[in-house]
Amino acid sequence: MKNGIKIAFVYIGLIIGAGFASGREIFEYFNLHTGLNPLPIFLAAIMFGLISYIILNKSFRLGISDFGEFVGVTSGRLSPFIKAVMYMFMFCGFFVMLSASGSLFAAAFSVSRKLGTILLAFICFIVFSFDIKGIVAVNTVLVPFMICGITYLSLTSLLYGSCEASTFAVNDNMFVSAVCYVSYNTITAGAVLVPLYSILSKKSIRTGVILGTAVLGVLIFLIWGALNVFYDKIFYSDMPLFDLAALRGQIYKIIYAAVLFTSICTTAVSHGFGILSQFKFRSKKMRILASAVFCALALPFSDLNFSFLVSSLYSLFGYFGLLWLAILIIKR
């Protein structure tokens, strides 16, 4: 049971990044395309569970603890191409989180964007130095806080708001949008799930998948509902849920800023670890040096606009994610 909860928290921490917790991803992929139809949300939740189960079960069954080996076994001759695009996505995802941290600090505390990006880079550097143990520890502590914060804000927004302009949503390609959302979010799932091999068992896999799927599905539904309630007020917002918190008062704004920063941290460390885990470091010093270089290389890209990155860069990788989903399912 305990290991199953750890697995669920690690997976949830990967998915709940800045785009998710800010509400921007949910708005782009669901509110704009589904109107008041929740069915694509249920499809997305089921797919999250299916993909996580396939990855965990295959890793356990074949005794694979290395992500590179997992990709090689799964994709065969396509593995060099698959790996290259995945590592590119993980690096892009890492500096997107740095950008999100900068935007958050500028909006919440009226300070320089650089302060937010440098702080996150430093935190990631510390976590990377402790390998997979650092990832599990961070997610076990921070994920429950994120879940509570997102749930409370979304529920109170639903209870005390009134539906305004969600009818402007375009009800076309809503299921395609849901599939694309899952596809790019699961590109890097194996990078953090496969190294969990040491705590995998049939029971822990089942518990982790069921718990993770249920939590992600409920959170997407709550955020989608809250954004529908305040549709016209957050239409142009970079961080819709953060703006909803600001509407509730200063204390809500500060608390949700902490929730957002937490979500940014969990996804940033997942993406960074996915790349660094491919290198076989001979010593602790080499891991620390590589972690420092990796974080420093990503900093210059953090000046790019966050909402632009979510709507364009993530959509681009979403199409590649469809190929990876197809490979996983066919091989299964």
Side-chain angles (χ1 to χ4, degrees):
M1 183 68 176
K2 183 179 179 181
N3 287 337
I5 294 174
K6 287 181 179 179
I7 292 169
F9 281 173
V10 169
Y11 190 50
I12 293 168
L14 170 68
I15 304 300
I16 304 181
F20 187 105
S22 69
R24 191 66 224 177
E25 278 183 5
I26 308 303
F27 189 80
E28 290 279 349
Y29 286 90
F30 293 98
N31 293 84
L32 285 178
H33 296 281
T34 64
L36 298 176
N37 187 349
L39 289 179
I41 295 173
F42 296 119
L43 171 64
I46 291 170
M47 289 187 66
F48 275 131
L50 174 66
I51 298 306
S52 60
Y53 176 78
I54 290 175
I55 293 172
L56 289 166
N57 186 59
K58 188 164 189 172
S59 174
F60 174 69
R61 187 163 44 84
L62 300 181
I64 299 174
S65 60
D66 179 76
F67 178 57
E69 182 184 352
F70 179 85
V71 175
V73 170
T74 304
S75 53
R77 294 180 181 179
L78 287 175
S79 62
F81 168 73
I82 298 290
K83 288 179 184 178
V85 178
M86 283 184 170
Y87 297 147
M88 188 186 304
F89 174 76
M90 284 186 274
F91 181 69
C92 290
F94 183 73
F95 72 68
V96 168
M97 294 303 105
L98 294 182
S99 174
S101 180
S103 297
L104 176 62
F105 270 68
F109 308 112
S110 299
V111 297
S112 170
R113 281 178 50 89
K114 285 294 183 184
L115 179 62
T117 56
I118 292 173
L119 176 61
L120 178 61
F122 177 73
I123 292 173
C124 290
F125 163 71
I126 298 298
V127 175
F128 294 155
S129 300
F130 290 93
D131 204 2
I132 188 62
K133 293 181 180 179
I135 306 296
V136 174
V138 165
N139 283 283
T140 302
V141 173
L142 298 184
V143 167
F145 173 65
M146 290 190 301
I147 293 172
C148 291
I150 294 171
T151 301
Y152 179 77
L153 177 62
S154 299
L155 274 177
T156 53
S157 297
L158 280 168
L159 292 173
Y160 298 110
S162 58
C163 198
E164 293 178 343
S166 60
T167 51
F168 286 107
V170 179
N171 291 280
D172 64 336
N173 301 321
M174 52 185 169
F175 291 104
V176 174
S177 184
V179 172
C180 286
Y181 174 70
V182 174
S183 70
Y184 91 77
N185 264 297
T186 51
I187 291 175
T188 58
V192 292
L193 293 179
V194 172
L196 295 175
Y197 173 76
S198 61
I199 63 172
L200 295 184
S201 66
K202 290 184 178 180
K203 184 178 180 181
S204 66
I205 291 173
R206 184 169 59 252
T207 301
V209 169
I210 293 174
L211 179 60
T213 300
V215 171
L216 287 172
V218 170
L219 288 178
I220 294 173
F221 180 79
L222 290 176
I223 294 172
W224 168 80
L227 296 184
N228 269 338
V229 168
F230 292 91
Y231 193 90
D232 63 337
K233 287 186 174 65
I234 49 83
F235 189 86
Y236 296 104
S237 171
D238 278 356
M239 298 184 174
L241 282 183
F242 178 71
D243 286 346
L244 288 189
L247 290 174
R248 302 293 305 279
Q250 185 66 20
I251 186 65
Y252 287 91
K253 179 180 177 180
I254 294 173
I255 292 174
Y256 203 73
V259 173
L260 263 177
F261 187 70
T262 299
S263 68
I264 292 169
C265 284
T266 57
T267 299
V269 297
S270 295
H271 284 308
F273 174 77
I275 294 177
L276 292 172
S277 64
Q278 302 312 301
F279 298 93
K280 308 301 180 183
F281 300 109
R282 295 181 179 179
S283 65
K284 181 81 170 180
K285 289 183 179 179
M286 287 297 295
R287 168 169 284 280
I288 292 173
L289 177 61
S291 300
V293 171
F294 176 78
C295 293
L297 287 174
L299 278 173
F301 298 96
S302 63
D303 289 330
L304 297 173
N305 181 267
F306 172 62
S307 61
F308 168 75
L309 290 172
V310 171
S311 61
S312 58
L313 186 63
Y314 278 14
S315 297
L316 177 64
F317 279 106
Y319 293 110
F320 165 78
L322 293 175
L323 172 63
W324 176 234
L325 285 186
I327 291 173
L328 283 174
I329 294 171
I330 291 171
K331 288 291 183 178
R332 170 67 182 131

